[in-house]
């Protein structure tokens, strides 16, 4: 029982510290903290519309986190998720702009395209790492950059809307490509289901399958795993492939759901944010869900600060970052004392 | 410096690693700490040096109670430790490694460090090249470097945790001379942790014996071996038997195999290993025996020659093909290369069932399976124990318990390194029992007695060259100078 309580304290203290710190920042810039927090909460929860936005923002976080759980299990730092989201969105866009099929076929096809695009981009990081000796962090950063440049080139070049190129992206996709909404709320049931299924599958795979156990073995000690006869290279490539596929699916959903077109910055930073989600969750799949919801809510609520209080909405991001830092700090301290 | 430990307690969950240990180390003595695997020796020394904190008890240095919270603090008091599993050495130069020790100390420059290194090396007859990279040093040389580092830091008490595992015989002779000199001429205290009776008899002035976390006796020189055994194990040990075996077909053939790495070339080795045969690979560390062993299991690709396994050409096959063909390899670094930190015994069991791995893990069956192994192999641990919490000896037991039942060839590096006599005898019983089903065994050892006692044939490596195998026989015995003559060793191994 006391063990439970100390664990709870270790979980809560960092959150409280993060709130205190953010409060301090608010006080320094001369904003009333109470009002700021109320704005964030209201901004995220005041109406069904807002709830819908929170859920929709949770989807890419869940998908990318599911993927990252896999690469982290294998001991890999897949910083390249951002690029993998974009790659999924790109392949989806290519099909969406060049094909028209009935929705019932088109949407699955487009989502598949997202999976494939992201998987290919993920495999590239893996290939560079496994066969080229390029650390996955560097490979990932490089490929993120390339994916962004490629998107901009396509939007302002081959895929520009008839006549004029703008920052607002490509032509909207044909209506057959749109992911169906729930009534007139901006929630996409298919996306939500896919995201939850992804987390559930990853949870089961890491917990109860030899595949997951082997990934964990590689993540903890690649040399021993190899000597045990585990084909470490294949498994690492597989982890990149799956993580890329899930990120690409998120990209696809952003393209045919939320945006209904390709825009620059289609990834919306969800890749990086989900790295934080997974770190905060301590690599535990089930914890990812509430944390992703929290991050999404802060993200959806923060713009209110700008509207109502003339504060920078980046404050929300600051809060998210601080929570992660303090949690990692608490874990570090706990480990050191153990 | 006088060290007093009083009623030290350290529990890991239900395990009483140290259960009220009291002992005194006098200045200018070599104090042995003897005990079987898992007796709590390493734990006690880690408590003394502030690596881990005790759950109870008191430490006094020269009569004053102290409380160290980190190894850095204990070294400031002059207590330094050489660890059992050497902590990772970065690929720095010897000199830089020494410099690192002085971050904020008096020695201002590389030249100063070079001088200190030279003086200390001369004093103890070490031959350390200041510009060599630490990761190219042998275990024995790293140990010498560590001793110098501790001395340069002003250590008055030096703790060595099983320092003779993995070093060559001449290095051991030099180490013992060094330790005697430190104690007798320089008045330092040496705590010598070991489970090897002969070493303690040879070196120590006094000895404290531990068993299951408790002190079972303090003895002064001269020791009686049977008394030490009794204190260590609570019983005297039976003599081990060597069951006779008739050798079968050739299992492994090396035909004029040459293995090359950037550091060493092992040229033109030809060797036939038959089913049921035990072959020991001897030689100073780094003489090529490890390369050759790895070539036998597919981890090193020969640059010329052929490797046949059961008559089939395996020269270009992968390590995994070797495994699939009934080969197993147990590396020297148990926790670095053999087991996986962070995974439990049960998880290791699942990974080890290479032929029977359904996609979904049956945890209940796996827990049962490993529990059987735990009982059968007498592993001190539970199914959910993470392997890093096992003592060195129990890690080796765990590794052995996970080997596939039927094997053609078993290649081992230092199979009993770090094991107490009882465990070592037990390990060899397990290994030799496998011969009856036709398993051939190739093993590397730095322990001459082990090589002589266990091998049917011994091959000696020296500077990469393999001398032709020697058959076990009446003349094969001590004093033949296998190790003692260093480089020429290969040629002087006696014949049957
Ligand atoms: N970090 C740990 N967590 C849990 N149990 C531990 C831990 N470290 C040691 N133990 C347990 O404490 C006991 C004593 O271990 P210790 O390493 O001190 O033995 P030892 O005498 O040094 O043995 P060996 O000769 O095998 O090195 C063992 O049963 C071991 O499993
Ligand atoms: Mg030990």
């Amino acid at each position: 029982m006391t063990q439970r309580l100390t664990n709870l304290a270790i979980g809560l203290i960092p959150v409280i510290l993060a709130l205190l710190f953010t409060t301090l920042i608010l006080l320094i810039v001369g904003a009333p903290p109470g009002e700021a927090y109320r704005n964030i909460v209201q901004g995220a929860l005041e109406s069904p519309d807002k709830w819908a936005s929170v859920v929709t923002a949770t989807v890419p976080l869940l998908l990318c986190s599911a993927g990252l759980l896999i690469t982290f299990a294998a001991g890999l730092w897949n910083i390249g998720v951002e690029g993998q989201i974009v790659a999924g969105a790109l392949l989806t866009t290519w099909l969406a702009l060049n094909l028209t099929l009935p929705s019932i076929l088109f949407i699955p096809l487009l989502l598949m395209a997202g999976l494939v695009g992201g998987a290919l981009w993920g495999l590239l990081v893996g290939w560079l790492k496994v066969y080229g000796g390029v650390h996955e962090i560097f490979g990932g950063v490089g490929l993120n950059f390339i994916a962004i440049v490629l998107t901009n080139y396509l939007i302002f070049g081959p895929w520009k809307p008839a006549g004029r190129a703008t920052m607002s992206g490509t032509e909207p996709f044909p209506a057959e490509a749109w992911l169906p909404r729930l009534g007139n709320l901006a929630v996409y049931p298919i996306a939500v289901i896919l995201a939850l299924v992804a987390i559930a599958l990853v949870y089961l795979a890491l917990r109860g399958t030899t595949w997951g156990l082997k990934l964990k073995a590689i993540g903890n000690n690649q040399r021993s795993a190899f000597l045990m006869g585990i084909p470490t290279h294949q498994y690492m490539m597989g982890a990149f492939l799956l993580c890329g596929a899930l990120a690409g699916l998120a990209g696809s959903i952003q393209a045919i759901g939320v945006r209904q077109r390709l825009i620059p910055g289609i990834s919306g930073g969800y890749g990086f944010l989900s790295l934080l989600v997974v770190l905060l969750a301590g690599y535990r799949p089930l914890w990812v869900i509430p944390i992703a919801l929290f991050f999404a809510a802060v993200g959806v609520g923060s713009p209110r600060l700008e509207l109502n209080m003339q504060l920078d909405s980046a404050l929300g991001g600051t809060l998210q970052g601080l929570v992660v830092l303090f949690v990692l700090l608490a874990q570090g301290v706990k480990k050191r004392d153990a | 410096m006088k060290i007093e430990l009083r009623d030290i307690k350290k529990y890991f969950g239900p395990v009483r690693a140290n259960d009220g240990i009291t002992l005194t180390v006098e200045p200018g003595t070599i104090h042995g700490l003897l005990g079987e695997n898992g007796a709590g020796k390493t734990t006690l020394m880690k408590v003394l040096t502030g690596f881990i904190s005790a759950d109870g008890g008191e430490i006094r240095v020269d009569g004053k109670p102290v409380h160290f919270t980190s190894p850095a603090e204990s070294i400031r008091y002059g207590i330094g430790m050489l660890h059992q599993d050497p902590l990772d050495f970065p690929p720095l130069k010897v000199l830089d490694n020494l410099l690192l020790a002085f971050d904020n100390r008096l020695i201002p420059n590389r030249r100063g460090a070079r001088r200190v290194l030279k003086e200390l090396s001369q004093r103890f007859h070490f031959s350390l090249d200041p510009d060599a990279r630490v990761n190219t040093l042998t275990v024995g040389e790293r140990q010498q470097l560590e001793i110098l580092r501790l001395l340069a830091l002003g250590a008055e008490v030096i703790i060595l945790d099983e320092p003779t595992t993995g070093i060559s015989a001449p290095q051991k002779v030099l180490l013992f001379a060094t330790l005697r000199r430190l104690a007798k001429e320089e008045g330092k205290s040496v705590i010598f942790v070991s489970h090897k009776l002969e070493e303690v008899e040879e070196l120590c002035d006094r000895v404290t014996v531990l068993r299951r976390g408790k002190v079972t006796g303090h003895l002064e020189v001269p020791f009686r071996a049977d008394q030490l055994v009794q204190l260590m194990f609570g019983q005297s040990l039976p003599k081990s038997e060597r069951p006779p075996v008739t050798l079968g077909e050739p299992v492994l053939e090396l035909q004029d195999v040459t293995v090359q790495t950037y550091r060493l070339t092992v040229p033109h080795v030809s060797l036939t290993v038959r089913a049921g045969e035990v072959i020991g690979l001897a030689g100073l560390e780094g003489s090529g025996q490890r390369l050759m062993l790895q070539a036998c299991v597919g981890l090193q690709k020969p640059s010329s020659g052929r490797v046949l396994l059961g008559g089939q050409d395996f020269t270009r096959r992968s390590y995994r093909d070797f495994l699939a063909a009934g080969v197993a390899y147990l590396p020297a670094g148990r926790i670095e290369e053999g087991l996986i930190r962070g995974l439990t015994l049960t998880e290791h069991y699942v990974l080890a069932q290479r032929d029977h791995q359904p996609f979904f893990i049956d945890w209940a069956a796996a827990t049962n399976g490993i529990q059987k192994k735990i009982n059968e192999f007498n592993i001190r641990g539970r199914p959910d124990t993470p392997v890093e919490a096992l003592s060195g000896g129990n890690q080796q037991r765990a590794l052995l318990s996970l080997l596939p039942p039927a094997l053609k060839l078993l290649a081992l590096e230092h199979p009993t390194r770090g094991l107490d006599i009882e465990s070592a005898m037990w390990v060899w019983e397990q290994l030799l029992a496998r011969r009856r089903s036709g398993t051939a065994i190739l093993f590397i050892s730095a322990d001459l007695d082990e090589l002589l006692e266990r091998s049917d044939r011994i091959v000696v490596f020296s500077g990469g060259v393999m001398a032709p195998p020697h058959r076990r026989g009446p003349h094969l015995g001590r004093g033949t100078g296998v190790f003692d003559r260093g480089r020429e060793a290969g040629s002087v191994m006696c014949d049957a």
Side-chain angles (χ1 to χ4, degrees), chain B residues 41-42 84 161-162:
Chain B
K41 310 178 290 289
T42 301
Q84 180 171 14
D161 194 355
E162 313 211 349

Side-chain angles (χ1 to χ4, degrees), chain A residues 204-205 207-211 213-214 216-218 220-221 223-231 234 337-338, chain B residues 299 319-320 323 329 331 335-343 347-348 350-351 354 357-361 363:
Chain A
L204 290 177
R207 192 161 177 258
T209 69
T210 42
W211 178 81
L213 184 57
K214 285 180 183 179
K216 223 166 112 185
I218 295 168
N220 287 10
N221 187 338
R223 172 76 182 163
S224 292
F226 173 76
L227 288 179
M228 279 182 185
I230 299 170
Q234 279 103 300
D337 290 350
Chain B
L299 283 169
Y319 171 66
R320 281 166 49 75
L323 294 187
Y329 167 63
I335 194 80
E336 297 81 15
E337 302 179 289
L339 298 165
I340 294 173
R341 257 199 189 84
L343 298 196
E347 288 175 314
H348 278 82
V350 173
L351 289 173
R354 243 181 285 125
Q357 281 183 342
F359 187 68
F360 290 102
I361 301 169
W363 287 112

Side-chain angles (χ1 to χ4, degrees), chain B residues 49 68 70-81 105 149-151 153-157:
Chain B
T49 52
F68 304 133
S70 73
E73 209 173 311
S74 71
I75 187 77
R76 274 205 296 280
Y77 273 80
I79 303 176
M81 173 156 170
R105 282 195 173 238
R149 201 176 62 86
L150 292 180
L151 289 176
L153 282 169
E156 285 297 314
V157 177

Side-chain angles (χ1 to χ4, degrees), chain A residues 68 71-78 129 136 219 235-237 239-240:
Chain A
L68 286 169
T71 41
F72 272 124
L76 301 166
W77 275 85
N78 186 13
K129 156 119 187 157
E136 71 271 16
Y235 270 76
M236 281 158 67
M237 293 294 280
F240 277 116

Side-chain angles (χ1 to χ4, degrees), chain B residues 373-431:
Chain B
K373 298 283 186 192
I374 288 174
N375 299 341
E376 186 186 343
F377 286 75
N378 198 7
I379 302 166
R380 297 242 174 95
R382 290 191 317 261
D384 61 354
T385 309
V387 288
E388 67 272 22
L390 297 174
S391 81
N394 283 305
Q395 287 172 1
Q396 182 72 336
R397 283 170 189 260
L399 274 172
L400 286 170
S401 78
L402 295 175
L403 286 175
L407 283 174
K408 271 208 188 90
L409 176 69
L410 180 52
L412 311 114
E413 294 174 7
H414 306 284
T416 62
R417 175 186 279 185
L419 300 196
D420 62 56
I421 333 168
E422 192 188 35
S423 304
M425 273 168 51
W426 181 87
V427 163
W428 273 108
E429 265 169 40
Q430 301 298 310
L431 294 177

